[in-house]
Amino acid sequence: MVDLKSQYDKMQHEIDDAVLNVIRSTAYINGPEVKSFQAELEQYLHVKHVIPCANGTDALQIAMMALGLKPGDEVITASFTYVATAEVIALLGLTPVLVDVYPDTFDINVEAIEKAITPKTKAIVPVHLFGQCADMERILKLAKQHNLYVIEDTAQAIGAEYTFSDGTVKKAGTMGDIGCTSFFPSKNLGCYGDGGAMYTNNEDLAKKMRMIANHGQSVQYVHDSIGVNSRLDSIQAAILRIKLRRLDDYAAARNKAAAYYDKAFANHPKIKTPARAKNTTHVFHQYTLQLKDVDRAALREFLASKDIPSMIYYPIPLHMQKAYTDPRYKEGDFPVTEKLCASVISLPMHTELDEEQLKYITDAVLEFCR
Ligand SMILES: *Cc1c(COP(=O)(O)O)cnc(C)c1O
């Protein structure tokens, strides 16, 4: 699905030097590379504070801890997402409240959020799924009306930009109270291990998140709150600094591949290409088709026989997962999510796809879906 080897080959010397420098410096944790990366990411995102941590799941957890959410508080998120979003809500004893998504853009349905708000609701977690922003202007308005926090899950959308109706442009993750991202290798800005970060423009929240990520410690060996141990290591930060400089080029390469796919599958009766949401750029973390009257499993097997990988993001809706079964929800409650889980397929999407590969992939899909 991704070609990290070819991407690495193009910057091998730069990466190797940076990694070796960290090893020789012995500043493995919280070294200068972490501080530099943090500052460079703040500048790239136009956000006041970036707090690096160990992974995207931790970022979401630390964000919710910093907001002081308490057991019993309800947190609204999308039913069509990666499990991490709901996992941390449940882990903290908060109540995940799921809502459906829009059938075209896969993003969280704002009318459904509004209907799900109760006196216990404390926060909304929009997921910028597959690389484009959720409808943030309406979500932020709703949050303001009901006095709710907004935590953006931007693990799949680093670099995407949202334009508000007054013309203001903001980067994904910098619009709500806190944005959370992941630097997992296959993410758009991926390191060579695990990594993540929180973003915020709020000084107080930034301080709290830094403290929670560091064992709830304000001064060394002084613990003001119960925290966790979650840090980005210096080797990963050194790699991320190099890749951050290329992030916009990477997004352009992904968009080029997406445009090729779009054109190849345009107006196909059995294949629906991914819709672009209004007011947002798309960084194509995934390129996801919806199939109609196609045996998806057989298509995947056919593609595999030609060495073409494909994935189903996501095969089972959250409310149908054993771990998240909940008497409030049953099959049929989130019809769009359920339909998507049964009909989507994601094709290879990365920064190194060339026309020859794209032709090979699209020809194979079209041959099967004749
Ligand atoms: C990857 C991902 C996460 C979790 O990130 P990790 O670094 O793997 O913990 C959270 N939410 C979404 C939507 C993701 O895609």
Side-chain angles (χ1 to χ4, degrees):
M1 294 297 285
V2 292
D3 183 0
L4 295 173
K5 176 69 168 71
S6 303
Q7 193 191 61
Y8 163 69
D9 286 345
K10 288 183 183 162
M11 51 188 174
Q12 186 188 344
H13 295 297
E14 214 179 325
I15 295 264
D16 292 0
D17 284 351
V19 170
L20 268 177
N21 278 339
V22 174
I23 293 172
R24 288 176 182 142
S25 77
T26 73
Y28 304 137
I29 298 291
N30 273 333
E33 292 289 342
V34 177
K35 303 218 163 47
S36 300
F37 170 64
Q38 179 191 311
E40 286 159 10
L41 189 57
E42 284 165 355
Q43 197 178 14
Y44 174 83
L45 295 168
H46 303 288
V47 73
K48 286 198 188 122
H49 307 279
V50 165
I51 299 100
C53 68
N55 58 66
T57 309
D58 276 7
L60 288 162
Q61 179 178 337
I62 294 163
M64 287 177 206
M65 290 170 78
L67 290 170
L69 303 185
K70 299 266 173 335
D73 289 349
E74 293 179 358
V75 179
I76 298 174
T77 195
S79 49
F80 189 58
T81 182
Y82 182 54
V83 67
T85 326
E87 185 177 45
V88 296
I89 300 172
L91 206 59
L92 291 172
L94 316 173
T95 306
V97 173
L98 302 178
V99 299
D100 217 340
V101 295
Y102 291 119
D104 299 331
T105 60
F106 314 119
D107 277 322
I108 191 163
N109 183 314
V110 185
E111 293 80 23
I113 297 178
E114 187 161 16
K115 282 200 196 114
I117 294 172
T118 75
K120 287 185 177 168
T121 309
K122 287 286 148 50
I124 306 170
V125 185
V127 183
H128 302 317
L129 201 72
F130 299 154
Q132 62 184 347
C133 296
D135 195 348
M136 287 306 290
E137 181 150 357
R138 287 168 66 214
I139 292 169
L140 291 172
K141 198 170 149 209
L142 205 54
K144 202 167 171 191
Q145 278 167 4
H146 296 269
N147 203 16
L148 308 175
Y149 296 117
V150 175
I151 304 166
E152 295 170 70
D153 181 342
T154 187
Q156 301 189 0
I158 191 165
E161 285 181 339
Y162 183 89
T163 306
F164 288 83
S165 49
D166 68 357
T168 315
V169 178
K170 287 192 179 171
K171 287 240 160 58
T174 68
M175 296 174 267
D177 296 283
I178 301 173
C180 297
T181 203
S182 163
F183 305 123
F184 186 77
S186 64
K187 299 284 156 100
N188 287 35
L189 179 62
C191 56
Y192 294 170
D194 271 311
M198 290 80 72
Y199 330 140
T200 187
N201 283 307
N202 181 313
E203 178 89 40
D204 182 48
L205 282 176
K207 263 194 205 146
K208 280 191 184 140
M209 289 193 284
R210 248 179 233 298
M211 189 168 85
I212 292 167
N214 184 24
H215 298 290
Q217 183 167 261
S218 53
V219 178
Q220 202 173 22
Y221 305 124
V222 179
H223 302 274
D224 295 349
S225 68
I226 295 175
V228 296
N229 173 22
S230 188
R231 24 186 199 225
L232 179 72
D233 67 68
S234 307
I235 288 179
Q236 302 308 338
I239 293 163
L240 287 166
R241 289 184 69 196
I242 293 165
K243 291 183 71 172
L244 177 59
R245 287 176 219 134
R246 291 163 168 81
L247 185 59
D248 288 343
D249 290 341
Y250 288 163
R254 288 170 177 274
N255 270 278
K256 208 171 149 202
Y260 189 102
Y261 281 143
D262 278 350
K263 203 168 154 208
F265 303 131
N267 304 316
H268 194 290
K270 296 180 180 177
I271 303 172
K272 189 164 174 248
T273 56
R276 309 293 192 275
K278 270 190 307 181
N279 307 338
T280 170
T281 61
H282 203 318
V283 293
F284 283 100
H285 176 60
Q286 297 299 342
Y287 185 88
T288 302
L289 298 171
Q290 292 181 57
L291 302 172
K292 204 178 136 214
D293 303 325
V294 175
D295 181 341
R296 184 172 65 174
L299 168 61
R300 290 195 70 204
E301 252 174 60
F302 178 76
L303 294 175
S305 75
K306 292 175 172 288
D307 289 326
I308 299 170
S310 66
M311 287 294 281
I312 310 300
Y313 302 115
Y314 295 90
I316 305 172
L318 278 179
H319 69 291
M320 309 280 291
Q321 295 280 2
K322 191 172 155 208
Y324 295 90
T325 45
D326 184 316
R328 290 173 303 159
Y329 304 128
K330 59 180 188 312
E331 189 168 356
D333 281 353
F334 304 101
V336 176
T337 296
E338 289 169 32
K339 183 165 176 252
L340 290 174
C341 289
S343 63
V344 290
I345 183 168
S346 298
L347 298 180
M349 173 49 79
H350 54 82
T351 58
E352 312 303 312
L353 283 163
D354 61 31
E355 289 223 353
E356 196 184 326
Q357 293 168 320
L358 288 163
K359 182 167 188 315
Y360 183 71
I361 296 165
T362 52
D363 282 354
V365 174
L366 290 168
E367 185 187 337
F368 188 88
C369 296
R370 256 195 311 239

Short mmCIF file of all heavy atoms in Angstrom, two decimals, residues 6-16 18 37 40-41 44 158-159 187-190 192 238-254 283 350-352:
data_model
loop_
_atom_site.label_atom_id
_atom_site.label_comp_id
_atom_site.label_asym_id
_atom_site.label_seq_id
_atom_site.Cartn_x
_atom_site.Cartn_y
_atom_site.Cartn_z
N SER A 6 11.40 3.12 -1.52
CA SER A 6 11.77 4.05 -2.60
C SER A 6 11.85 5.47 -2.09
O SER A 6 12.69 6.26 -2.53
CB SER A 6 10.75 3.99 -3.75
OG SER A 6 10.64 2.69 -4.24
N GLN A 7 10.94 5.80 -1.15
CA GLN A 7 10.97 7.15 -0.59
C GLN A 7 12.28 7.38 0.18
O GLN A 7 12.93 8.42 0.04
CB GLN A 7 9.75 7.32 0.33
CG GLN A 7 9.48 8.73 0.75
CD GLN A 7 8.43 8.78 1.87
OE1 GLN A 7 8.64 8.22 2.95
NE2 GLN A 7 7.33 9.44 1.60
N TYR A 8 12.66 6.39 0.96
CA TYR A 8 13.91 6.47 1.73
C TYR A 8 15.12 6.57 0.81
O TYR A 8 16.04 7.37 1.02
CB TYR A 8 14.02 5.24 2.65
CG TYR A 8 15.41 4.98 3.20
CD1 TYR A 8 15.98 5.83 4.14
CD2 TYR A 8 16.14 3.86 2.79
CE1 TYR A 8 17.24 5.59 4.65
CE2 TYR A 8 17.41 3.61 3.29
CZ TYR A 8 17.96 4.47 4.22
OH TYR A 8 19.21 4.23 4.71
N ASP A 9 15.14 5.75 -0.27
CA ASP A 9 16.27 5.74 -1.19
C ASP A 9 16.61 7.14 -1.71
O ASP A 9 17.78 7.47 -1.91
CB ASP A 9 15.99 4.81 -2.39
CG ASP A 9 16.07 3.34 -1.99
OD1 ASP A 9 16.62 3.05 -0.90
OD2 ASP A 9 15.58 2.49 -2.76
N LYS A 10 15.57 7.96 -1.90
CA LYS A 10 15.78 9.31 -2.46
C LYS A 10 16.44 10.27 -1.48
O LYS A 10 16.86 11.34 -1.87
CB LYS A 10 14.45 9.89 -2.91
CG LYS A 10 13.91 9.24 -4.16
CD LYS A 10 12.62 9.91 -4.60
CE LYS A 10 12.06 9.20 -5.81
NZ LYS A 10 10.64 9.52 -6.00
N MET A 11 16.45 9.91 -0.20
CA MET A 11 17.05 10.85 0.79
C MET A 11 17.92 10.06 1.77
O MET A 11 18.14 10.47 2.90
CB MET A 11 15.94 11.60 1.54
CG MET A 11 14.88 10.71 2.12
SD MET A 11 13.51 11.65 2.78
CE MET A 11 12.44 10.27 3.18
N GLN A 12 18.45 8.95 1.27
CA GLN A 12 19.16 8.01 2.15
C GLN A 12 20.31 8.68 2.91
O GLN A 12 20.44 8.50 4.12
CB GLN A 12 19.70 6.84 1.33
CG GLN A 12 20.32 5.77 2.22
CD GLN A 12 21.02 4.68 1.42
OE1 GLN A 12 20.82 4.54 0.22
NE2 GLN A 12 21.86 3.92 2.09
N HIS A 13 21.13 9.47 2.18
CA HIS A 13 22.30 10.04 2.85
C HIS A 13 21.90 11.01 3.95
O HIS A 13 22.44 10.99 5.05
CB HIS A 13 23.23 10.70 1.83
CG HIS A 13 23.82 9.69 0.88
ND1 HIS A 13 24.65 8.69 1.32
CD2 HIS A 13 23.65 9.51 -0.45
CE1 HIS A 13 24.98 7.92 0.29
NE2 HIS A 13 24.38 8.40 -0.79
N GLU A 14 20.89 11.82 3.62
CA GLU A 14 20.42 12.81 4.58
C GLU A 14 19.88 12.12 5.84
O GLU A 14 20.21 12.50 6.98
CB GLU A 14 19.31 13.63 3.92
CG GLU A 14 19.26 15.07 4.32
CD GLU A 14 18.12 15.81 3.60
OE1 GLU A 14 17.82 15.48 2.43
OE2 GLU A 14 17.53 16.68 4.24
N ILE A 15 19.09 11.09 5.63
CA ILE A 15 18.50 10.36 6.76
C ILE A 15 19.59 9.64 7.56
O ILE A 15 19.66 9.74 8.79
CB ILE A 15 17.46 9.31 6.28
CG1 ILE A 15 16.27 10.00 5.61
CG2 ILE A 15 17.05 8.38 7.42
CD1 ILE A 15 15.07 10.26 6.46
N ASP A 16 20.46 8.94 6.85
CA ASP A 16 21.51 8.17 7.53
C ASP A 16 22.40 9.09 8.39
O ASP A 16 22.73 8.77 9.54
CB ASP A 16 22.38 7.41 6.52
CG ASP A 16 21.60 6.29 5.83
OD1 ASP A 16 20.41 6.11 6.15
OD2 ASP A 16 22.19 5.59 4.98
N ALA A 18 21.58 12.01 9.64
CA ALA A 18 20.81 12.55 10.77
C ALA A 18 20.69 11.52 11.89
O ALA A 18 20.86 11.84 13.07
CB ALA A 18 19.43 12.99 10.30
N PHE A 37 12.37 19.88 15.84
CA PHE A 37 11.21 19.38 15.09
C PHE A 37 9.93 20.04 15.58
O PHE A 37 9.10 20.48 14.79
CB PHE A 37 11.10 17.85 15.23
CG PHE A 37 9.80 17.32 14.69
CD1 PHE A 37 9.49 17.44 13.34
CD2 PHE A 37 8.87 16.72 15.53
CE1 PHE A 37 8.27 16.98 12.83
CE2 PHE A 37 7.66 16.26 15.04
CZ PHE A 37 7.36 16.38 13.68
N GLU A 40 9.77 23.52 14.23
CA GLU A 40 9.51 23.55 12.78
C GLU A 40 8.08 23.15 12.45
O GLU A 40 7.47 23.71 11.54
CB GLU A 40 10.51 22.62 12.07
CG GLU A 40 11.90 23.25 12.02
CD GLU A 40 13.03 22.24 11.81
OE1 GLU A 40 12.75 21.06 11.50
OE2 GLU A 40 14.20 22.65 11.98
N LEU A 41 7.54 22.22 13.22
CA LEU A 41 6.15 21.82 12.99
C LEU A 41 5.19 22.94 13.41
O LEU A 41 4.19 23.20 12.74
CB LEU A 41 5.83 20.51 13.72
CG LEU A 41 4.48 19.87 13.39
CD1 LEU A 41 4.32 19.61 11.88
CD2 LEU A 41 4.27 18.57 14.15
N TYR A 44 5.23 25.32 10.57
CA TYR A 44 4.52 24.77 9.40
C TYR A 44 3.01 24.86 9.58
O TYR A 44 2.27 25.18 8.66
CB TYR A 44 4.96 23.32 9.17
CG TYR A 44 4.19 22.62 8.07
CD1 TYR A 44 4.54 22.79 6.72
CD2 TYR A 44 3.08 21.83 8.37
CE1 TYR A 44 3.82 22.17 5.72
CE2 TYR A 44 2.34 21.22 7.36
CZ TYR A 44 2.72 21.39 6.03
OH TYR A 44 1.99 20.79 5.04
N ILE A 158 -2.49 15.36 8.17
CA ILE A 158 -1.52 16.41 8.44
C ILE A 158 -1.24 17.18 7.14
O ILE A 158 -1.04 16.59 6.09
CB ILE A 158 -0.22 15.85 9.08
CG1 ILE A 158 0.64 17.00 9.59
CG2 ILE A 158 0.55 14.96 8.11
CD1 ILE A 158 1.73 16.56 10.55
N GLY A 159 -1.31 18.50 7.23
CA GLY A 159 -1.04 19.35 6.07
C GLY A 159 -2.28 19.78 5.31
O GLY A 159 -2.23 20.73 4.53
N LYS A 187 1.75 6.86 7.82
CA LYS A 187 0.97 8.11 7.79
C LYS A 187 1.64 9.11 6.85
O LYS A 187 2.79 8.91 6.44
CB LYS A 187 0.86 8.70 9.21
CG LYS A 187 0.14 7.78 10.20
CD LYS A 187 -1.38 7.77 10.01
CE LYS A 187 -2.02 6.51 10.52
NZ LYS A 187 -2.64 6.54 11.82
N ASN A 188 0.95 10.20 6.53
CA ASN A 188 1.49 11.12 5.52
C ASN A 188 2.83 11.73 5.94
O ASN A 188 3.69 11.98 5.10
CB ASN A 188 0.49 12.23 5.21
CG ASN A 188 -0.68 11.70 4.38
OD1 ASN A 188 -1.10 10.57 4.57
ND2 ASN A 188 -1.18 12.50 3.47
N LEU A 189 2.97 12.01 7.24
CA LEU A 189 4.29 12.38 7.78
C LEU A 189 4.67 11.26 8.75
O LEU A 189 4.30 11.28 9.92
CB LEU A 189 4.24 13.74 8.49
CG LEU A 189 5.56 14.21 9.11
CD1 LEU A 189 6.65 14.39 8.05
CD2 LEU A 189 5.38 15.51 9.89
N GLY A 190 5.38 10.27 8.24
CA GLY A 190 5.67 9.08 9.04
C GLY A 190 7.13 9.00 9.42
O GLY A 190 8.01 9.35 8.63
N TYR A 192 10.22 6.39 11.41
CA TYR A 192 10.63 4.99 11.20
C TYR A 192 10.42 4.19 12.49
O TYR A 192 11.28 3.41 12.92
CB TYR A 192 12.09 4.93 10.73
CG TYR A 192 12.30 5.54 9.34
CD1 TYR A 192 13.57 5.76 8.85
CD2 TYR A 192 11.21 5.87 8.52
CE1 TYR A 192 13.77 6.30 7.58
CE2 TYR A 192 11.39 6.42 7.26
CZ TYR A 192 12.66 6.63 6.79
OH TYR A 192 12.86 7.17 5.55
N ALA A 238 14.59 13.45 14.29
CA ALA A 238 15.57 13.81 13.25
C ALA A 238 15.05 13.39 11.88
O ALA A 238 15.19 14.12 10.89
CB ALA A 238 16.91 13.14 13.56
N ILE A 239 14.43 12.23 11.81
CA ILE A 239 13.86 11.74 10.54
C ILE A 239 12.67 12.61 10.13
O ILE A 239 12.53 13.02 8.97
CB ILE A 239 13.44 10.26 10.68
CG1 ILE A 239 14.69 9.38 10.86
CG2 ILE A 239 12.61 9.80 9.48
CD1 ILE A 239 14.41 7.99 11.41
N LEU A 240 11.83 12.94 11.11
CA LEU A 240 10.64 13.75 10.82
C LEU A 240 11.01 15.15 10.32
O LEU A 240 10.32 15.71 9.47
CB LEU A 240 9.75 13.84 12.06
CG LEU A 240 8.99 12.55 12.40
CD1 LEU A 240 8.42 12.60 13.81
CD2 LEU A 240 7.87 12.30 11.38
N ARG A 241 12.11 15.72 10.82
CA ARG A 241 12.54 17.05 10.37
C ARG A 241 12.83 17.00 8.87
O ARG A 241 12.47 17.92 8.13
CB ARG A 241 13.81 17.50 11.10
CG ARG A 241 13.59 17.84 12.55
CD ARG A 241 14.86 18.37 13.16
NE ARG A 241 15.18 19.69 12.62
CZ ARG A 241 16.37 20.27 12.72
NH1 ARG A 241 17.36 19.64 13.33
NH2 ARG A 241 16.57 21.46 12.20
N ILE A 242 13.47 15.93 8.43
CA ILE A 242 13.82 15.81 7.01
C ILE A 242 12.56 15.62 6.16
O ILE A 242 12.39 16.24 5.11
CB ILE A 242 14.80 14.63 6.82
CG1 ILE A 242 16.13 14.97 7.49
CG2 ILE A 242 14.99 14.31 5.34
CD1 ILE A 242 17.05 13.78 7.67
N LYS A 243 11.63 14.81 6.67
CA LYS A 243 10.42 14.54 5.89
C LYS A 243 9.44 15.70 5.92
O LYS A 243 8.69 15.90 4.96
CB LYS A 243 9.78 13.23 6.36
CG LYS A 243 10.65 12.02 6.00
CD LYS A 243 10.03 10.69 6.38
CE LYS A 243 8.85 10.34 5.51
NZ LYS A 243 8.39 8.95 5.77
N LEU A 244 9.45 16.48 7.00
CA LEU A 244 8.54 17.64 7.09
C LEU A 244 8.82 18.62 5.95
O LEU A 244 7.91 19.21 5.37
CB LEU A 244 8.68 18.33 8.45
CG LEU A 244 7.85 19.60 8.66
CD1 LEU A 244 6.35 19.33 8.51
CD2 LEU A 244 8.13 20.21 10.04
N ARG A 245 10.12 18.78 5.60
CA ARG A 245 10.48 19.70 4.52
C ARG A 245 9.91 19.24 3.19
O ARG A 245 9.78 20.00 2.25
CB ARG A 245 12.01 19.79 4.39
CG ARG A 245 12.63 20.58 5.51
CD ARG A 245 14.16 20.57 5.40
NE ARG A 245 14.72 20.46 6.73
CZ ARG A 245 15.71 19.64 7.09
NH1 ARG A 245 16.29 18.86 6.20
NH2 ARG A 245 16.12 19.62 8.34
N ARG A 246 9.59 17.96 3.09
CA ARG A 246 9.06 17.42 1.83
C ARG A 246 7.55 17.18 1.90
O ARG A 246 6.96 16.69 0.93
CB ARG A 246 9.74 16.07 1.54
CG ARG A 246 11.22 16.20 1.19
CD ARG A 246 11.91 14.85 1.32
NE ARG A 246 13.25 14.84 0.73
CZ ARG A 246 14.34 15.32 1.34
NH1 ARG A 246 14.25 15.86 2.54
NH2 ARG A 246 15.51 15.25 0.73
N LEU A 247 6.92 17.53 3.02
CA LEU A 247 5.52 17.13 3.20
C LEU A 247 4.60 17.69 2.12
O LEU A 247 3.72 16.97 1.62
CB LEU A 247 5.04 17.55 4.61
CG LEU A 247 3.63 17.08 4.98
CD1 LEU A 247 3.50 15.56 4.93
CD2 LEU A 247 3.25 17.58 6.38
N ASP A 248 4.77 18.94 1.75
CA ASP A 248 3.90 19.51 0.72
C ASP A 248 4.13 18.85 -0.64
O ASP A 248 3.18 18.63 -1.40
CB ASP A 248 4.07 21.03 0.63
CG ASP A 248 3.46 21.74 1.85
OD1 ASP A 248 2.65 21.11 2.56
OD2 ASP A 248 3.80 22.92 2.08
N ASP A 249 5.38 18.50 -0.92
CA ASP A 249 5.64 17.77 -2.18
C ASP A 249 5.01 16.39 -2.12
O ASP A 249 4.50 15.88 -3.13
CB ASP A 249 7.16 17.61 -2.40
CG ASP A 249 7.82 18.93 -2.73
OD1 ASP A 249 7.10 19.87 -3.14
OD2 ASP A 249 9.05 19.05 -2.55
N TYR A 250 5.06 15.77 -0.95
CA TYR A 250 4.42 14.46 -0.80
C TYR A 250 2.91 14.55 -1.06
O TYR A 250 2.32 13.70 -1.73
CB TYR A 250 4.66 13.90 0.61
CG TYR A 250 6.07 13.42 0.88
CD1 TYR A 250 6.51 13.23 2.19
CD2 TYR A 250 6.95 13.12 -0.16
CE1 TYR A 250 7.80 12.79 2.46
CE2 TYR A 250 8.24 12.67 0.11
CZ TYR A 250 8.66 12.51 1.41
OH TYR A 250 9.93 12.06 1.67
N ALA A 251 2.29 15.61 -0.51
CA ALA A 251 0.84 15.78 -0.71
C ALA A 251 0.54 15.98 -2.20
O ALA A 251 -0.44 15.45 -2.72
CB ALA A 251 0.33 16.96 0.11
N ALA A 252 1.43 16.72 -2.88
CA ALA A 252 1.23 16.95 -4.32
C ALA A 252 1.34 15.63 -5.08
O ALA A 252 0.54 15.35 -5.99
CB ALA A 252 2.25 17.96 -4.83
N ALA A 253 2.30 14.79 -4.70
CA ALA A 253 2.47 13.49 -5.38
C ALA A 253 1.24 12.60 -5.15
O ALA A 253 0.76 11.92 -6.06
CB ALA A 253 3.73 12.79 -4.87
N ARG A 254 0.71 12.64 -3.93
CA ARG A 254 -0.49 11.86 -3.63
C ARG A 254 -1.69 12.37 -4.44
O ARG A 254 -2.49 11.59 -4.95
CB ARG A 254 -0.80 11.93 -2.13
CG ARG A 254 0.17 11.14 -1.26
CD ARG A 254 -0.06 11.47 0.22
NE ARG A 254 0.81 10.69 1.09
CZ ARG A 254 0.53 9.47 1.55
NH1 ARG A 254 -0.60 8.88 1.23
NH2 ARG A 254 1.39 8.84 2.33
N VAL A 283 -5.25 15.51 1.33
CA VAL A 283 -3.85 15.05 1.28
C VAL A 283 -3.77 13.54 1.03
O VAL A 283 -2.71 12.94 1.11
CB VAL A 283 -3.04 15.45 2.55
CG1 VAL A 283 -2.87 16.98 2.60
CG2 VAL A 283 -3.68 14.94 3.82
N HIS A 350 0.62 6.39 -2.22
CA HIS A 350 1.84 6.85 -1.56
C HIS A 350 2.55 7.85 -2.46
O HIS A 350 1.99 8.25 -3.49
CB HIS A 350 2.74 5.67 -1.18
CG HIS A 350 3.07 4.74 -2.31
ND1 HIS A 350 4.08 5.00 -3.19
CD2 HIS A 350 2.51 3.56 -2.71
CE1 HIS A 350 4.15 4.00 -4.08
NE2 HIS A 350 3.20 3.12 -3.81
N THR A 351 3.74 8.24 -2.05
CA THR A 351 4.43 9.34 -2.72
C THR A 351 5.23 8.88 -3.94
O THR A 351 5.75 9.71 -4.67
CB THR A 351 5.40 10.01 -1.74
OG1 THR A 351 6.33 9.01 -1.27
CG2 THR A 351 4.67 10.58 -0.54
N GLU A 352 5.37 7.60 -4.12
CA GLU A 352 6.28 7.10 -5.15
C GLU A 352 5.58 6.44 -6.34
O GLU A 352 6.24 5.82 -7.18
CB GLU A 352 7.27 6.09 -4.54
CG GLU A 352 7.93 6.55 -3.25
CD GLU A 352 8.69 7.86 -3.41
OE1 GLU A 352 9.48 7.99 -4.37
OE2 GLU A 352 8.47 8.77 -2.57
#
